[in-house]
Amino acid sequence: MSQNEAMVIVGAGHAGGRAALTLREAGYAGRIVLIGDEAHLPYERPPLSKALLKGESSLQTCSLFSEASFIASGIEHLSGVRVLNIDPAQHRVDLDSGVSLGYTKLLLATGGQSRRLDLGGRDFTNVHYLRTFDEAITLQERLQPGSRLLVAGGGFIGLEVASTARDKGCEVTVLEAGARLAARALPERLSEALLTLHRRMGVSIHLSAQIERFHGADRVESVQLASGERLACDVLLVGIGMQPNLQLAQQAGLAIGSGIKVDNFLQTSAPDIFAAGDVCEFQRDDGQFHRQETWRNAEAQGRLAALNMLGQRQAFSTVPGFWSDHYEFGLQTVGTLAPNAQVIERELADAGFLLLYLDAQARLQGASGWGIGNSLAKDIKLCERLIESRLVLPLEQLPDTSVSLKALLRGAHV
């Protein structure tokens, strides 16, 4: 079965949904088909581990748009559908429903799935992962006051859920295989701030922890560590990273690395096929390929991919960044936190701080910080502008908070 050609988007998450909307907003009047294996309209993922898990948010408030506005846009949403095959030569995608769709341009926003923990081939009913709305709702029901939550993985998902679970009155233990928390994404000082805060809030954290055995029949009743310690649990959450969905790209013969490789315009190695979001691997200024699993990246690349599908040829140059909330504190980063950069610290009020990453010419490359609530937002935004400006900064003034970042942006050496 064949149908009329269309702008086809595979993946109805944040990047895919934003791309579909942008096509319409940019004036494209033709057929747009958005294909997703979930039943829901596109939604944002950050609330899943926080407001939604607490019951303070809903699918409607997480959605990129209302059902009424989506219907009005005329975008076709094929929900609960999987793409089986892509034929770049024929410009066609084959669906598990038996339908084949021709495309003029195709966007792959296939995202990823949670990395699975090796459970020794067993299937326990109280082991949870958190990437989708449905998984969040199921986990929400399990996190009752007094529940013993064991978190495998000391990254952002695990720690955000730990924070939410403590707010809900759960007993929480976090197991991290590495020597510090969120080590792949954060500098040591931020890892230490996270560790101190979570322990102060009553979370038991085990670093360099290796799981040796799971005890229980249908449910994990306890976990035994390589140290011999045995930890009881009612709920086990696994947060050990994300695996990008590359199967379709591989089958179609597209260039891949840790993600689907694209050029500066988010176009893949095949004509008329683009990629965006968590699955997209793009080239940075240093020539290295990189993926970003962030809200900011999904938003920016979804928009840009749509415009380039319409022939605008806009290069992707957005400064990377992300945030994460824990109890009353938040951390934020922007730019590149290069391990060989010169790092200068600015101490802020209420135990907050800002770390500035500079290159050999004293130009800002990245920044990361810690503060109450959203108190860092203004500084991080100014840091982003400093990164884009490529100004040479006065090193001796950077630790001095009496010298504002805004003054530095103006080039005022006071």
Side-chain angles (χ1 to χ4, degrees):
M1 180 179 180
S2 172
Q3 297 191 10
N4 294 332
E5 291 186 343
M7 292 286 196
V8 174
I9 300 170
V10 181
H14 186 163
R18 181 56 66 201
L21 283 176
T22 303
L23 287 172
R24 279 288 183 254
E25 291 166 355
Y28 180 72
R31 187 181 182 201
I32 301 172
V33 182
L34 179 64
I35 306 168
D37 55 8
E38 291 188 66
H40 314 295
L41 289 175
Y43 57 86
E44 299 175 329
R45 298 192 189 278
L48 299 185
S49 58
K50 299 181 279 286
L52 187 69
L53 203 57
K54 289 181 183 179
E56 299 172 356
S57 184
S58 65
L59 179 60
Q60 184 176 5
T61 56
C62 296
S63 295
L64 291 182
F65 31 70
S66 68
E67 188 169 358
S69 65
F70 188 77
I71 292 172
S73 72
I75 298 168
E76 298 177 43
H77 180 211
L78 304 184
S79 61
V81 173
R82 291 190 307 111
V83 175
L84 298 180
N85 180 64
I86 298 170
D87 187 334
Q90 298 298 319
H91 279 55
R92 189 188 74 238
V93 296
D94 302 323
L95 311 182
D96 63 357
S97 62
V99 171
S100 293
L101 291 173
Y103 64 83
T104 53
K105 296 289 191 297
L106 174 67
L107 173 63
L108 297 179
T110 50
Q113 53 193 299
S114 300
R115 291 186 184 275
R116 311 319 261 190
L117 183 65
D118 183 4
L119 300 172
R122 303 172 70 182
D123 186 17
F124 297 106
T125 60
N126 62 338
V127 175
H128 296 263
Y129 296 84
L130 182 57
R131 183 161 178 85
T132 68
F133 171 80
D134 291 339
E135 288 174 337
I137 292 300
T138 301
L139 181 60
Q140 180 195 76
E141 295 168 352
R142 297 290 182 91
L143 297 182
Q144 300 299 321
S147 296
R148 296 168 299 179
L149 171 66
L150 189 63
V151 179
F156 294 120
I157 288 294
L159 293 174
E160 287 175 0
V161 172
S163 172
T164 299
R166 285 298 294 149
D167 286 343
K168 290 169 67 74
C170 300
E171 298 178 19
V172 182
T173 300
V174 173
L175 305 178
E176 167 54 43
R180 59 185 178 89
L181 299 175
R184 287 182 296 175
L186 296 179
E188 187 171 352
R189 186 167 180 194
L190 272 171
S191 292
E192 284 299 317
L194 277 172
L195 179 66
T196 299
L197 175 64
H198 278 275
R199 282 180 169 167
R200 176 166 65 83
M201 299 304 292
V203 178
S204 176
I205 296 181
H206 299 246
L207 300 175
S208 302
Q210 302 294 328
I211 296 175
E212 187 172 83
R213 187 175 298 116
F214 299 94
H215 296 279
D218 297 332
R219 298 166 52 83
V220 176
E221 296 173 1
S222 64
V223 170
Q224 186 170 320
L225 304 183
S227 64
E229 187 174 4
R230 190 160 163 170
L231 303 169
C233 73
D234 301 307
V235 182
L236 174 61
L237 171 74
V238 180
I240 56 174
M242 187 275 281
Q243 180 72 44
N245 290 326
L246 299 176
Q247 298 88 339
L248 284 174
Q250 287 176 311
Q251 292 168 2
L254 305 184
I256 62 168
S258 68
I260 303 172
K261 288 190 173 182
V262 298
D263 63 14
N264 289 341
F265 308 104
L266 304 184
Q267 189 161 9
T268 72
S269 58
D272 302 324
I273 301 181
F274 297 76
D278 291 353
V279 77
C280 176
E281 189 178 22
F282 56 92
Q283 203 165 20
R284 298 187 301 195
D285 292 340
D286 60 6
Q288 299 298 311
F289 279 90
H290 182 66
R291 283 192 311 107
Q292 291 176 13
E293 301 167 14
T294 67
W295 180 97
R296 183 186 181 115
N297 188 62
E299 178 75 10
Q301 289 191 344
R303 287 183 184 276
L304 189 68
L307 296 177
N308 288 341
M309 289 166 76
L310 296 174
Q312 292 196 20
R313 301 284 291 173
Q314 294 189 25
F316 179 66
S317 60
T318 303
V319 177
F322 66 88
W323 75 90
S324 183
D325 298 323
H326 305 261
Y327 311 101
E328 74 274 25
F329 278 86
L331 65 87
Q332 294 188 45
T333 79
V334 67
T336 303
L337 311 184
N340 59 346
Q342 180 177 359
V343 181
I344 293 180
E345 301 183 7
R346 283 171 70 93
E347 301 298 331
L348 306 177
D350 299 318
F353 58 86
L354 190 65
L355 307 178
L356 304 175
Y357 291 71
L358 298 110
D359 65 12
Q361 289 75 43
R363 295 174 302 198
L364 191 65
Q365 302 296 295
S368 62
W370 177 260
I372 295 287
N374 201 32
S375 61
L376 283 172
K378 183 178 178 181
D379 282 345
I380 290 292
K381 185 62 179 176
L382 287 168
C383 285
E384 181 175 353
R385 293 173 63 188
L386 283 167
I387 292 168
E388 293 171 336
S389 75
R390 297 185 62 78
L391 284 170
V392 175
L393 300 175
L395 296 180
E396 72 282 358
Q397 295 179 14
L398 293 180
D400 186 357
T401 54
S402 69
V403 180
S404 72
L405 295 177
K406 184 176 287 187
L408 295 172
L409 185 62
R410 296 189 186 118
H413 295 191
V414 298

